[in-house]
Amino acid sequence: MLIGLCGGICAGKHAIAEYLIENQGFQLLELAGNRQSESPDSGDELRLQASEIRKKEPQSPEFTFQDAESLLDFATKRWQERWVTTDIADANILDRFLLRPFFLLVSVDAPVSLRWKRFADRCWRRQLDPPDLEKFVLWNDHNLYDKDIGRVYLTDKAQVRLFNSSSSLGELHSALESLNLADEQRLRPSWDQYFMQLASLAAQRSNCMKRRVGCVLVRESRVISTGYNGTPRHLQNCNQGGCPRCNRGDGGGVGLSTCLCLHAEENALLEAGRERIREGAILYCDTCPCLTCTVKIAQVGISEVVYSQGYNMDSDSAAILQQAGVRLRQFHPPSNGLIYLQASGTPIGVQEIETQEIETQEIETQD
């Protein structure tokens, strides 16, 4: 496994690399001469941007490379070991890294005011005068958005995005322990995750004005059919006025008998036909089926229904499926995407957050 860490100035990428090295058995891969500044100025302030990963043993020359291609070739031959690098800076070479099934790109960000405080703390430790906030923001903008060297391309490609507002290294380490970046399931989606992502992709084709829903029918880990909700074939699309009920904005459960939209599950079942479904078929849907779809699912012999989001009839649908001998379960995806590293040490995805208090109290250094 190779984890690549990227992010803005003092976001915490080197602190995270150090944690992986000291606590989870990772080894650091570096590019020779790549300890350059992330700021455009020169002098002592440039050298402040150098990596501050503290190693108990001197870095082996075996793990230092002249270019990113050599680093990638080395990691490819030893992919079963644990490696980490903070030296991926080129957008073109990044695409080659992302082709490797053992590579995980993680971006790290933090509030700019907090990153400035971390930078100022490093200056004081080196008995240098820190820059004012305005100058730091200019450095940060250059580092992320400069046309030629900007790192924002890297952060946009990250599979995992960490928001590091931890107020101390101890809190950061506690959150990282709970998150477990080294979980190799992050590298390749499980079947559940794969098929649920296909259902979510199908939902993007929906034309229903009320909600987007996608569905995938699967047997023996092979897709039988897909479906999304919207008006029937040859009728005007719902989002073009084809279904008066949806376009009136009626509340949930109101006027259902007048709705012209077929549900995602109905479309997938009609597309497959009972002769293709047979016993053992699994239905993946990003919303728990309604009662109308539930009775049809029971009729055609679906063995299992997997959903990600609840609906207002979940308990009724569950009762019907239980009677029909159809297993129903909710899928909870792993924590990828944007993840807040809470001060409590419990990382949570952005979808679970309603409010987030940013602590900017005195901190230990996080580069």
Side-chain angles (χ1 to χ4, degrees):
M1 182 180 197
L2 170 61
I3 293 180
L5 293 163
C6 62
I9 302 171
C10 287
K13 53 188 177 295
H14 293 112
I16 292 173
E18 182 180 349
Y19 169 83
L20 293 173
I21 292 166
E22 294 185 352
N23 295 277
Q24 296 197 337
F26 280 76
Q27 298 181 80
L28 181 68
L29 300 182
E30 293 182 298
L31 295 183
N34 200 49
R35 294 179 176 271
Q36 73 260 17
S37 170
E38 295 170 312
S39 70
D41 289 7
S42 59
D44 288 335
E45 292 166 321
L46 274 177
R47 289 190 289 274
L48 285 171
Q49 295 304 314
S51 166
E52 290 196 348
I53 298 177
R54 294 181 293 276
K55 310 180 208 48
K56 294 180 179 178
E57 300 294 336
Q59 179 72 353
S60 169
E62 180 187 6
F63 302 151
T64 303
F65 305 88
Q66 294 301 315
D67 53 59
E69 295 270 2
S70 302
L71 187 155
L72 179 59
D73 289 343
F74 175 87
T76 301
K77 295 172 183 176
R78 301 175 64 172
W79 64 272
Q80 291 179 308
E81 300 174 57
R82 291 184 170 186
W83 308 103
V84 62
T85 183
T86 61
D87 287 350
I88 301 174
D90 182 84
N92 294 322
I93 194 66
L94 172 64
D95 290 335
R96 292 202 55 191
F97 275 74
L98 291 170
L99 290 174
R100 297 296 199 269
F102 56 84
F103 178 69
L104 181 71
L105 182 63
V106 178
S107 69
V108 191
D109 199 4
V112 66
S113 59
L114 182 56
R115 292 193 282 119
W116 174 58
K117 289 178 183 294
R118 292 171 181 166
F119 189 90
D121 181 73
R122 188 188 305 172
C123 289
W124 291 123
R125 291 199 329 272
R126 297 193 179 188
Q127 299 181 340
L128 295 169
D129 293 329
D132 58 28
L133 179 58
E134 181 178 2
K135 187 173 184 180
F136 180 82
V137 169
L138 290 174
W139 286 356
N140 181 70
D141 287 348
H142 177 81
N143 178 57
L144 289 178
Y145 305 114
D146 184 273
K147 179 182 177 182
D148 298 319
I149 67 166
R151 308 294 178 85
V152 71
Y153 176 85
L154 277 68
T155 60
D156 284 348
K157 290 276 188 174
Q159 296 109 310
V160 179
R161 302 188 301 278
L162 304 181
F163 189 75
N164 173 28
S165 60
S166 300
S167 58
S168 73
L169 284 174
E171 291 175 348
L172 174 65
H173 291 178
S174 179
L176 290 172
E177 183 179 3
S178 299
L179 180 61
N180 189 18
L181 282 175
D183 185 352
E184 294 192 358
Q185 291 189 37
R186 298 181 186 280
L187 299 174
R188 189 185 188 203
S190 65
W191 284 119
D192 275 355
Q193 187 177 357
Y194 172 66
F195 291 126
M196 198 61 75
Q197 287 176 344
L198 291 181
S200 296
L201 179 61
Q204 299 306 303
R205 285 289 302 165
S206 170
N207 62 67
C208 181
M209 290 294 291
K210 296 292 288 184
R211 70 165 67 206
R212 286 177 165 177
V213 182
C215 178
V216 174
L217 268 175
V218 175
R219 188 180 66 247
E220 297 177 353
S221 299
R222 297 292 182 269
V223 174
I224 302 172
S225 66
T226 65
Y228 54 86
N229 58 328
T231 47
R233 186 178 302 174
H234 305 307
L235 295 189
Q236 190 174 30
N237 285 341
C238 181
N239 61 353
Q240 297 172 329
C243 177
R245 184 258 175 184
C246 289
N247 282 268
R248 285 196 304 267
D250 291 344
V254 177
L256 291 178
S257 62
T258 65
C259 183
L260 301 182
C261 288
L262 286 167
H263 290 192
E265 301 93 324
E266 291 175 311
N267 273 323
L269 294 173
L270 289 169
E271 177 68 23
R274 182 165 183 173
E275 67 279 1
R276 292 179 60 202
I277 295 174
R278 301 201 301 271
E279 184 179 352
I282 302 175
L283 184 145
Y284 288 87
C285 192
D286 49 12
T287 302
C288 187
C290 68
L291 283 176
T292 302
C293 290
T294 297
V295 295
K296 295 172 183 176
I297 290 168
Q299 176 67 9
V300 298
I302 297 291
S303 298
E304 184 176 16
V305 173
V306 185
Y307 70 97
S308 60
Q309 302 175 37
Y311 192 52
N312 57 10
M313 304 179 195
D314 287 7
S315 57
D316 296 330
S317 297
I320 292 173
L321 292 174
Q322 183 178 20
Q323 269 191 322
V326 180
R327 184 185 179 195
L328 175 68
R329 60 185 173 89
Q330 186 171 10
F331 171 69
H332 298 284
S335 297
N336 281 349
L338 179 59
I339 302 170
Y340 281 72
L341 300 178
Q342 286 185 306
S344 64
T346 304
I348 56 177
V350 67
Q351 69 274 11
E352 302 173 63
I353 297 174
E354 296 180 358
T355 59
Q356 177 80 9
E357 294 291 329
I358 303 298
E359 300 286 351
T360 57
Q361 57 195 355
E362 185 175 352
I363 57 170
E364 297 179 53
T365 303
Q366 294 185 30
D367 173 22

